[in-house]
Amino acid sequence: MNALAPESLSDKEKNELMQQIKQEVAVASAQEMLSKMSEKCFKKCVVKPGTSLDSSEQKCVAMCMDRYMDAFNLVSKTYSARIQREHDRM
């Protein structure tokens, strides 16, 4: 029998495995957010790439990142609340 089969794990081991998976998903989600945010904000704000950003580009990037993170957080909270509601119904 496979040592990682769910039925062979104790409740404590299952909880630890779930925590580890949740942490890995959170890290992957944060990495994805940073990658997409960088790509989208750069495309939006840096029209003529050079050796540095001028003040308007810096301001645009900062505001873009703030809006992107606000939107990401709102979606994450809404998704978490939905998952919790569905879990509570079971």
Side-chain angles (χ1 to χ4, degrees):
M1 193 182 277
N2 185 352
L4 294 178
E7 60 274 2
S8 69
L9 299 175
S10 69
D11 285 343
K12 181 181 178 190
E13 290 171 325
K14 287 178 186 177
N15 287 336
E16 289 172 356
L17 182 58
M18 284 301 294
Q19 287 300 86
Q20 182 180 356
I21 291 170
K22 286 178 183 179
Q23 288 173 351
E24 290 177 12
V25 168
V27 168
S29 180
Q31 289 172 333
E32 178 73 13
M33 181 196 66
L34 287 172
S35 176
K36 287 202 181 267
M37 180 175 59
S38 297
E39 177 185 332
K40 291 182 182 299
C41 291
F42 185 85
K43 283 181 182 178
K44 175 182 173 29
C45 298
V46 183
V47 181
K48 296 179 183 177
T51 57
S52 63
L53 299 176
D54 65 28
S55 62
S56 64
E57 290 170 330
Q58 289 177 16
K59 184 177 180 180
C60 179
V61 167
M63 291 175 64
C64 178
M65 291 172 69
D66 286 345
R67 285 192 307 268
Y68 197 93
M69 289 182 70
D70 288 344
F72 182 85
N73 288 333
L74 177 63
V75 169
S76 295
K77 286 178 186 176
T78 303
Y79 180 72
S80 293
R82 180 178 175 184
I83 294 296
Q84 186 61 46
R85 282 193 312 269
E86 289 178 9
H87 181 268
D88 291 345
R89 289 181 190 162
M90 295 181 157

